[in-house]
Amino acid sequence: QSVLTQPPSVSAAPGQKVTISCSGSTYNIGKNYVCWYQQLPGTAPKVLIYDSDKRPSGIPDRFSGSKSGTSATLGITGLQTGDEADYYCGTWDSRLSAGVFGTGTRVTVL
Amino acid sequence: QVQLEQSGAEVKQPGASVKVSCKVTGDALSDLSIHWVRQAPGEGLEWMGGFDPEEGETYYAQNFQGRLILTEDISTDTTYMELRSLRSEDTAVYYCTRSEDSFDLWGQGTMVTVSS
C-alpha cells in the first residue's frame, strides 16, 4: 500500500557498511526532498537525514543520504550494535498532496 | 526546548470516535506545522494528515477521508486528531510530529486500542 518501496531487511557485521534503497516515482522522490528516520523498538522515529543528504546536528557522519531520479539511498558505515533498528524513508507526494513513508527496512548487526 | 505532549492511551469500541491531543510547549502552535502519523502493531509508519500554516491548508491522507478531523486551539497551543467510525484496524500508536525540513520532533505517542 505504501508508495515508497524499501527492502524488508539488510544485515552486516559490526564495522561494515549497509545501504538501504527507497524507490518511488516522479511525483514523490522525483520532485521532493527525502528524509530518513531511525526507529528503535518502542520509541518514536528520529530523523537521520533531511533534504535528501543533510544530517541534523548530533547525527554522526556514519549516516549519509543521497538521491538520484526517483530513488534515494541511506548509507550506514562502521555499523554498530546500536544501529539495529527499523529505518524509513519519507517524502511528500505532489500528486496525492500527502506525506508518504517507505515500507521500512530492519537493519540487523550480525 | 520545544516539546510535544500527547494525551494518554485510549480503549474504544468499534464504531466509536477517539480524540487525541498534542500540546506544544516551548513554542507557539501558530508558528508550527503539526502532522499526525500512526503505526499499527508490527507495522510501518503511516502518514495521516497535517496542517500547513503557510498555505493555511489541512491535508488528509486519502485512506482517512471523511473519518479524520484535525483541529487546533491556538489559545492553548493544543492540536487534536479525531478519528471516527473506529474499526479494529485502527488499533495503533498515534504520533503528532513537527514538520520543518523533516518530521524533526515527535510526541511520545498515544496507544489507541479498538476492541469490543
Side-chain angles (χ1 to χ4, degrees), chain A residues 1 7 12 28 51 72 80 87-88 104 110:
Chain A
Q1 189 171 357
N28 41 66
D51 287 357
Q80 302 175 0
Y87 293 80
Y88 296 90
L110 300 172

Side-chain angles (χ1 to χ4, degrees), chain A residues 6-10 19-21 36 85-88 102-107:
Chain A
Q6 300 178 230
S9 63
V10 297
T19 60
I20 301 171
S21 60
W36 287 92
D86 294 324
Y87 293 80
Y88 296 90
T103 47
T105 299
R106 173 73 52 89
V107 170

Side-chain angles (χ1 to χ4, degrees), chain A residues 1 35 37 39 45 50 88 98-99, chain B residues 39 44 47 63 101-103 106:
Chain A
Q1 189 171 357
C35 298
Y37 302 89
Q39 188 178 32
Y50 68 98
Y88 296 90
Chain B
Q39 186 170 37
W47 181 85
N63 285 351
D101 296 319
S102 65
F103 294 140
W106 295 71

Side-chain angles (χ1 to χ4, degrees), chain A residues 22-100:
Chain A
C22 175
S23 178
S25 76
T26 54
Y27 300 109
N28 41 66
I29 294 178
K31 280 184 179 291
N32 300 293
Y33 289 119
V34 176
C35 298
W36 287 92
Y37 302 89
Q38 176 193 61
Q39 188 178 32
L40 298 169
T43 69
K46 179 175 80 170
V47 59
L48 297 177
I49 299 291
Y50 68 98
D51 287 357
S52 302
D53 60 6
K54 296 181 175 59
R55 281 177 286 107
S57 62
I59 301 300
D61 59 7
R62 299 188 300 107
F63 296 92
S64 64
S66 63
K67 188 184 93 163
S68 178
T70 59
S71 294
T73 301
L74 174 71
I76 311 174
T77 59
L79 206 59
Q80 302 175 0
T81 55
D83 297 332
E84 286 201 329
D86 294 324
Y87 293 80
Y88 296 90
C89 57
T91 187
W92 185 257
D93 190 294
S94 299
R95 181 176 66 90
L96 299 174
S97 291
V100 289

Side-chain angles (χ1 to χ4, degrees), chain B residues 64-108:
Chain B
F64 299 99
Q65 289 288 351
R67 289 206 300 143
L68 177 63
I69 301 173
L70 302 181
T71 55
E72 295 188 340
D73 184 344
I74 300 299
S75 67
T76 60
D77 290 317
T78 303
T79 184
Y80 299 91
M81 184 282 300
E82 182 177 10
L83 189 60
R84 301 176 172 176
S85 302
L86 289 168
R87 32 208 191 226
S88 58
E89 310 89 88
D90 294 318
T91 294
V93 176
Y94 289 76
Y95 294 101
C96 60
T97 178
R98 180 179 70 179
S99 175
E100 293 199 341
D101 296 319
S102 65
F103 294 140
D104 67 332
L105 181 68
W106 295 71
Q108 80 274 24

Side-chain angles (χ1 to χ4, degrees), chain B residues 20-64:
Chain B
V20 178
S21 67
C22 172
K23 182 173 175 57
V24 177
T25 60
D27 201 348
L29 175 61
S30 57
D31 295 335
L32 304 182
S33 172
I34 299 295
H35 290 234
W36 291 84
V37 174
R38 77 175 184 180
Q39 186 170 37
E43 301 294 323
L45 303 175
E46 181 178 21
W47 181 85
M48 300 179 68
F51 179 67
D52 184 339
E54 290 188 359
E55 298 190 11
E57 186 88 28
T58 301
Y59 295 94
Y60 295 97
Q62 286 182 350
N63 285 351
F64 299 99

